[in-house]
Amino acid sequence: MSGVSSTNSTSSSASTGGGRPGGRSTGLAARLAARAAGGALRVLLVLVALFWLMPTVGLLLSSLRSPSDISSSGWWQVFTAPAQLTTENYRDLLSDDAITGSLVSTVLITVPATLLVIVIGAFAGYAFAWLDFPGRDWWFLLVVALLVVPVQVALVPVSKLFGAVGIFETTLGVVLFHTAFGLPFAIFLLRNFFAEIPRELLEAARLDGAGELRLFTRVVLPLGGPAVASLGIFQFLWVWNDMLVALIFADAQSPPITVALQQQVRQFGNNVDVLAPGAFVSMVIPLLVFFAFQRQFVNGVMAGAVK
């Protein structure tokens, strides 16, 4: 028996390379290869990130150059002549009533449209997930079907409807349009997230005397915070960067920033000292919102992936 044990031990040691220089070198080679592969992947990701950020960097540097420098050379010349950098363009931007007014109009459209979608979508998502009412499943299927309706299909009939009720070319009309088309995705997302909450948790809260409203605000919303934050980021970015709906439904005297910049290009094609900083400011604000809620956004995406 001892001979058999010795043979098995020797075979096991030989198979794992334990104690042998060849086994140690094989393990070291595997670790070095893994580190080299990981280093190559990091380098590749850094290069992709730099390539992706290049237009943003170019826009930023262009916004810090004078119109004469912009027309005579490319933005990369800043690295050899940093004296070209100036903040005069941003001073001109702040003195341009059309651009500053458009930023205010964009905020007045984006913030209400985002909050309305979050509030209504959260209530509807909770109702579809945990309340029993006639035709619940059929109504939810209708909401899912609305996800495939393109915005372009509704432009003409909604324009006639808004004109009939007197809200065409108003901020309210733009907010209502964005809210209506943002709700199907919001209800679909939050309903699926709320449905994953353990039923036992809700039943325990009901046994403690919690009503539906208190159950929604004290239990469901805190647990669904990441999903709500993700929805808010998506809706904010969509409304802020939209130009089609704003071009049709917004007031021509106080358009959002996307329409105002488009009008600047059409009317003053060489007005780069206003266009470059205006475009950069319109891009930076959504990025700040994204980074402010980045942790909640990642948690919401990862929770949805796990579920």
Side-chain angles (χ1 to χ4, degrees), residues 95-246:
S95 63
D96 191 321
D97 295 336
I99 298 297
T100 54
S102 66
L103 286 172
V104 175
S105 299
T106 307
V107 173
L108 294 178
I109 291 172
T110 305
V111 173
T114 303
L115 293 178
L116 284 174
V117 167
I118 290 176
V119 173
I120 300 175
F123 276 108
Y126 173 75
F128 279 117
W130 295 109
L131 297 183
D132 292 327
F133 54 89
R136 183 185 66 174
D137 295 336
W138 288 106
W139 283 109
F140 184 69
L141 289 177
L142 177 62
V143 171
V144 174
L146 291 176
L147 288 171
V148 302
V149 177
V151 175
Q152 293 81 357
V153 173
L155 293 179
V156 175
V158 174
S159 298
K160 293 180 179 180
L161 175 63
F162 284 1
V165 299
I167 59 174
F168 185 71
E169 290 190 347
T170 62
T171 300
L172 177 60
V174 183
V175 171
L176 291 179
F177 191 95
H178 282 301
T179 302
F181 272 86
L183 278 176
F185 175 74
I187 296 173
F188 175 77
L189 174 69
L190 296 181
R191 182 265 178 191
N192 291 340
F193 195 94
F194 292 162
E196 297 295 331
I197 298 176
R199 180 180 295 273
E200 294 79 9
L201 184 61
L202 301 182
E203 292 177 351
R206 288 192 176 96
L207 290 176
D208 291 338
E212 295 298 336
L213 182 59
R214 188 174 182 181
L215 187 66
F216 173 74
T217 56
R218 299 293 182 88
V219 178
V220 175
L221 273 186
L223 293 176
V228 173
S230 301
L231 172 64
I233 292 175
F234 279 123
Q235 179 70 10
F236 186 93
L237 295 180
W238 177 52
V239 178
W240 183 279
N241 294 319
D242 171 75
M243 189 177 73
L244 177 62
V245 176

